[in-house]
Amino acid sequence: MFNYLEPPNAYYEFERIYTAEQWARKQRWITEYINEQQPDVIGFQEIFSIESLKELMLNQGYNHFAVVDKPHVIDDFIFKHPVVGIASKYPIVDVIAVEHDEELACSLGLTQAFSFSRKVLRATITLPHLGDTDCYVVHFKSKRGMLEVDEHNKAVTAEQNIVDILKANVAGSWGSTIQRGSEATLLMIQMITRREATLNPMVLMGDFNNDLADGVLNHLLTNTLRFAPAMDAKAYLAKYCLYDSWALFEKLVITADNAQQASNSDGENTAQTAPLTRKATHYFGTSSSVLDYILLSCEFDPSYDDSFFEVSNHNTYDRHLINPEYERDDLTTDHGVVCITLNLRT
């Protein structure tokens, strides 16, 4: 939502306040996106004005809305630490903030003071054909360094100042990495525990602030086990794993293309579908990366015998990033918006 805060409140600093006209434009962009894409369930990050967003979503037909935290308020009008939320056209029958296993955290070398940088939301939503489905919304720790240093310290030499900044950058960046990886690990453990107890299908969505292929987060897609009995792993493991919705969509497209090739009656080769290219969800200077994901349990994987749905489309809405128009896009979001379509398998 990129600083979703209704004026006259300020985000982070006292002068950062939207004008009434700017706020109207931000609201309008959200409404137009929803009308165009028509998602059934939406996960949000960076919410400051909870009641305002709840009302906006209600006006768009989302009768179910939830958060599990509140932003911090300083001096009555300066807001910090935005929260995640969820809106749904289908009933939310339960919602909680996920609590990590403190004993496990300590065994991993974390302190007792460890907590998620933003509380993780779990909403159980009654979806068609699936029933109660656990939807998790996250905003993992950013790559911004955890240590701060005075960049204009006149009490030391210019060289010493640079050395101090370098140390803070190296250590602070690693601290953020540890936090982000720990959040993902402890959440995954809680998801597995919940799955074991309920067998509810799982959806994990949000801003991961990291590439999934990076070693910091790739354990979210663990699908093999070392030393485990092979037959037992094959029988039970898939039920507890998560799958990248993009990979499921890509596999479906390739399977459909291969089937089309095989069914060509005249035996001639037909033109194959062009390779799919995953769009970036975030741009920084000249670089781009995928930071935003939707992960799914096996109920959404057609290769799983008892799956219900397949990912028939995966779209990253990025017009506001790659082809922006000032009046339309200057107060939108700094991320591409990931949206998937699920079709019931026949």
Side-chain angles (χ1 to χ4, degrees):
M1 302 298 286
F2 195 49
N3 301 322
Y4 184 84
L5 180 59
E6 186 174 13
N9 296 309
Y11 50 93
Y12 302 113
E13 298 175 4
F14 72 92
E15 74 274 10
R16 292 184 174 181
I17 302 173
Y18 295 121
T19 66
E21 192 272 337
Q22 288 175 325
W23 180 246
R25 290 210 309 271
K26 190 171 184 68
Q27 296 279 80
R28 184 172 64 246
W29 188 89
I30 297 169
T31 301
E32 289 176 352
Y33 170 82
I34 291 172
N35 289 336
E36 181 179 334
Q37 301 295 322
Q38 291 293 311
D40 294 306
V41 177
I42 310 175
F44 299 100
Q45 293 80 38
E46 293 197 26
I47 305 170
F48 284 119
S49 294
I50 295 171
E51 291 303 317
S52 174
L53 183 57
K54 181 178 180 180
E55 180 180 357
L56 177 67
M57 299 311 299
L58 182 62
N59 291 337
Q60 298 304 310
Y62 295 81
N63 295 323
H64 310 279
F65 179 87
V67 297
V68 291
D69 199 6
K70 294 181 179 179
H72 295 183
V73 185
I74 303 171
D75 296 331
D76 296 327
F77 77 102
I78 301 176
F79 283 60
K80 295 185 177 182
H81 305 300
V83 303
V84 303
I86 195 166
S88 173
K89 293 182 178 179
Y90 298 105
I92 297 176
V93 297
D94 185 39
V95 60
I96 69 160
V98 176
E99 299 290 343
H100 69 277
D101 184 326
E102 294 183 1
E103 183 177 348
L104 175 60
C106 288
S107 70
L108 296 177
L110 302 174
T111 69
Q112 290 186 336
F114 175 86
S115 63
F116 291 108
S117 55
R118 291 100 171 177
K119 287 188 178 181
V120 176
L121 180 153
R122 187 191 76 213
T124 303
I125 302 176
T126 305
L127 296 177
H129 306 286
L130 282 175
D132 289 350
T133 301
D134 290 332
C135 298
Y136 297 80
V137 182
V138 300
H139 190 176
F140 290 142
K141 178 69 178 73
S142 71
K143 293 185 178 181
R144 187 179 296 110
M146 298 179 69
L147 302 180
E148 295 184 2
V149 64
D150 183 1
E151 298 179 2
H152 305 284
N153 187 358
K154 296 181 180 180
V156 300
T157 66
E159 181 177 356
Q160 185 60 54
N161 190 42
I162 292 298
V163 170
D164 290 344
I165 294 172
L166 174 61
K167 290 178 180 178
N169 283 354
V170 171
S173 176
W174 177 241
S176 294
T177 300
I178 293 172
Q179 174 74 24
R180 186 166 56 258
S182 299
E183 289 176 354
T185 299
L186 293 171
L187 171 60
M188 188 65 191
I189 295 301
Q190 295 306 103
M191 292 179 69
I192 294 170
T193 301
R194 169 75 174 178
R195 174 75 158 175
E196 185 180 17
T198 67
L199 295 181
N200 288 350
M202 300 181 292
V203 178
L204 171 60
M205 52 186 161
D207 178 0
F208 289 18
N209 268 314
N210 218 107
D211 190 319
L212 260 182
D214 191 305
V216 178
L217 296 185
N218 64 7
H219 51 281
L220 288 173
L221 299 179
T222 298
N223 59 7
T224 58
L225 298 176
R226 297 179 64 186
F227 311 123
M231 291 302 296
D232 291 345
K234 183 177 181 181
Y236 303 117
L237 181 60
K239 188 166 59 175
Y240 297 96
C241 294
L242 291 174
Y243 305 88
D244 184 358
S245 58
W246 168 261
L248 294 178
F249 169 62
E250 190 175 38
K251 183 165 63 173
L252 185 69
V253 171
I254 293 173
T255 300
D257 186 51
N258 290 341
Q260 180 62 37
Q261 293 289 322
S263 65
N264 186 20
S265 59
D266 58 14
E268 296 179 0
N269 289 331
T270 57
Q272 293 188 351
T273 304
L276 297 173
T277 301
R278 187 173 200 161
K279 291 184 178 181
T281 68
H282 189 259
Y283 295 86
F284 183 77
T286 58
S287 64
S288 61
S289 53
V290 179
L291 303 181
D292 305 82
Y293 296 88
I294 300 176
L295 308 186
L296 304 166
S297 57
C298 60
E299 286 83 0
F300 307 92
D301 180 3
S303 66
Y304 185 71
D305 291 339
D306 296 327
S307 64
F308 288 82
F309 286 90
E310 59 190 15
V311 183
S312 59
N313 193 29
H314 186 290
N315 176 52
T316 299
Y317 186 90
D318 61 359
R319 183 180 65 181
H320 57 293
L321 300 177
I322 63 173
N323 188 28
E325 295 180 9
Y326 178 80
E327 287 299 320
R328 183 190 66 197
D329 300 319
D330 69 316
L331 292 164
T332 56
T333 170
D334 59 341
H335 283 243
V337 185
V338 177
C339 184
I340 64 172
T341 303
L342 302 173
N343 277 4
L344 187 66
R345 295 186 65 200
T346 56

